[in-house]
Structure formats: C-alpha cells, structure tokens
C-alpha cells in the first residue's frame, strides 16, 4: 500500500485548496450595445473591442 513519505504541510495543503475559493466570473455592461460581456473581451454581437472593429458583426 502506498504511504506518504512526509507529512503534507499546511502551506502545501493551502496551495492545493486555493482553487476552492474561486469567485464567480465578472461581467460588465457594454457602453454601446448594453449587452453583458466579460471585461477585456471582444463583444461578439458587434465585433468591437476598445472602440475598434475587430470581427465582422454576427448576422441573424
């Protein structure tokens, strides 16, 4: 049977458990379209990022 060679310190255990406290993803309201989007991401509906046209707008 596998047995740990050394005791896991509380610091190492804390590093492992740090992902348990992840926060919910943040969303901001776009100034132009009013749609919710992630900060520092392209608005996929309009294709704009920081006032510049990056992608072609999606057609319906």
């Amino acid at each position: 049977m596998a047995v740990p060679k050394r005791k896991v310190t509380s610091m190492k255990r804390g590093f492992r458990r740090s992902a348990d406290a992840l926060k919910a993803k943040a969303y901001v309201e776009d100034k132009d379209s009013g749609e919710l989007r992630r900060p520092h991401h392209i608005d996929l509906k309009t294709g704009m990022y920081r006032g510049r046209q990056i992608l072609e707008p999606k057609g319906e």
Side-chain angles (χ1 to χ4, degrees):
M1 186 170 119
V3 178
K5 193 164 193 131
R6 298 198 190 290
K7 175 183 175 182
V8 177
T9 64
S10 58
M11 188 172 98
K12 294 292 183 186
R13 185 187 64 213
F15 285 152
R16 188 175 65 243
R17 292 181 181 172
S18 67
D20 294 345
L22 292 177
K23 306 288 186 263
K25 294 182 178 179
Y27 288 92
V28 295
E29 185 176 335
D30 193 55
K31 294 177 197 171
D32 300 326
S33 64
E35 295 283 325
L36 290 178
R37 64 171 175 79
R38 299 287 311 277
H40 307 284
H41 282 67
I42 297 173
D43 183 18
L44 292 176
K45 190 164 194 171
T46 60
M48 299 286 287
Y49 179 70
R50 298 183 68 187
R52 287 183 283 174
Q53 189 72 36
I54 304 296
L55 298 174
E56 293 296 321
K58 282 188 173 179
E60 293 189 36

